């Protein structure tokens, strides 16, 4: 069972959030700091929930039949990007906070896209593409026909994180079969 905690940057003030058995993980702060979106196994399948910090209220925003996880917020706090199996294969989708207007975002055709993150400037979404040798990919948000762009080398990539200025991406990969952190430029991939 996974639990969620909040603590101060200096390590003090550890507080366990009111969670349920089954496992809560992949938390993402809302831009205004009032809510946390997270994945949970409190239902029979993975769903996305919102935790309101002021009221301690937890609300499921995933439809009952969809397997959704790894949420991340749009910079304006109006949408979430997440991975899902709504169309059968793992893909990246977006939706409004009330779960309306779900939209397929990734375009790789079912190669296993996951772990999406929204750039702080709101212009791009980075995610992991591929299941056997996952790579880091980026696609522009809001541009009709925008193509997926591979930006990492051939090594496996996981858990992308975009810098506050939207210029760099840090991600976990392997170097000589050992876990390592890589940082590359968002535009050039170098």
């Amino acid at each position: 069972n996974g639990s969620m905690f909040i603590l101060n940057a200096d390590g003090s003030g550890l507080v366990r959030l009111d969670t349920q058995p089954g496992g809560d993980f992949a938390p993402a702060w809302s831009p205004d700091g009032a809510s946390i979106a997270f994945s949970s196994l409190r239902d029979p399948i993975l769903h996305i929930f919102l935790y309101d910090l002021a009221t301690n209220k937890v609300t499921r925003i995933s439809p009952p039949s969809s397997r959704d996880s790894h949420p991340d917020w749009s910079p304006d706090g109006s949408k979430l990007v997440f991975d899902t199996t709504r169309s059968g294969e793992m893909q990246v989708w977006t939706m409004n906070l009330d779960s309306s207007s779900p939209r397929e975002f990734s375009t790789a055709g079912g190669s296993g896209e996951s772990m999406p993150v929204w750039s702080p400037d709101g212009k791009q979404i980075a995610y992991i593409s591929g299941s056997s040798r996952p790579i880091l990919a980026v696609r522009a948000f809001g541009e009709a026909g925008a193509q997926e762009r591979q930006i990492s080398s051939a090594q496996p990539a996981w858990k992308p994180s975009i810098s506050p200025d939207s210029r760099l991406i840090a991600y976990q990969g392997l170097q000589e079969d050992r876990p390592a952190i890589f940082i590359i430029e968002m535009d050039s991939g170098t």
Side-chain angles (χ1 to χ4, degrees):
N1 289 342
S3 296
M4 291 192 306
F5 296 85
I6 296 176
L7 70 151
N8 297 321
D10 67 3
S12 66
L14 180 68
V15 175
R16 182 174 189 248
L17 300 180
D18 184 25
T19 57
Q20 298 281 324
D24 299 330
F25 60 95
W29 285 99
S30 63
D32 66 5
S35 300
I36 297 174
F38 64 97
S39 305
S40 180
L41 287 167
R42 58 183 66 202
D43 291 337
I45 60 174
L46 272 170
H47 285 132
I48 295 174
F49 291 80
L50 292 181
Y51 186 96
D52 184 307
L53 291 159
T55 65
N56 290 327
K57 182 180 176 188
V58 175
T59 306
R60 186 184 76 215
I61 61 171
S62 293
S65 62
S66 68
R67 181 240 173 257
D68 301 337
S69 63
H70 296 102
D72 194 44
W73 297 81
S74 62
D76 67 3
S78 68
K79 296 184 180 301
L80 290 174
V81 63
F82 58 100
D83 56 49
T84 184
T85 57
R86 291 181 188 204
S87 64
E89 296 290 329
M90 183 68 72
Q91 294 180 304
V92 174
W93 285 42
T94 62
M95 71 177 164
N96 295 332
L97 291 184
D98 63 0
S99 75
S100 66
S101 300
R103 301 270 189 269
E104 184 178 329
F105 178 77
S106 57
T107 60
S111 65
E113 296 89 16
S114 62
M115 298 182 184
V117 291
W118 218 305
S119 65
D121 64 9
K123 295 179 181 177
Q124 300 184 83
I125 295 174
Y127 51 94
I128 303 307
S129 182
S131 54
S132 61
R133 293 275 301 164
I135 53 96
L136 185 61
V138 171
R139 185 165 172 245
F141 179 75
E143 291 181 21
Q147 296 297 307
E148 175 180 286
R149 189 168 49 90
Q150 177 180 333
I151 60 170
S152 68
S153 63
Q155 72 217 12
W158 303 279
K159 300 183 181 181
S161 179
I162 302 175
S163 65
D165 64 5
S166 298
R167 285 185 44 251
L168 304 171
I169 299 180
Y171 65 96
Q172 178 183 334
L174 293 176
Q175 187 170 28
E176 298 175 8
D177 293 324
R178 299 184 73 157
I181 303 295
F182 297 89
I183 300 173
I184 59 174
E185 290 185 10
M186 187 95 126
D187 291 335
S188 69
T190 58

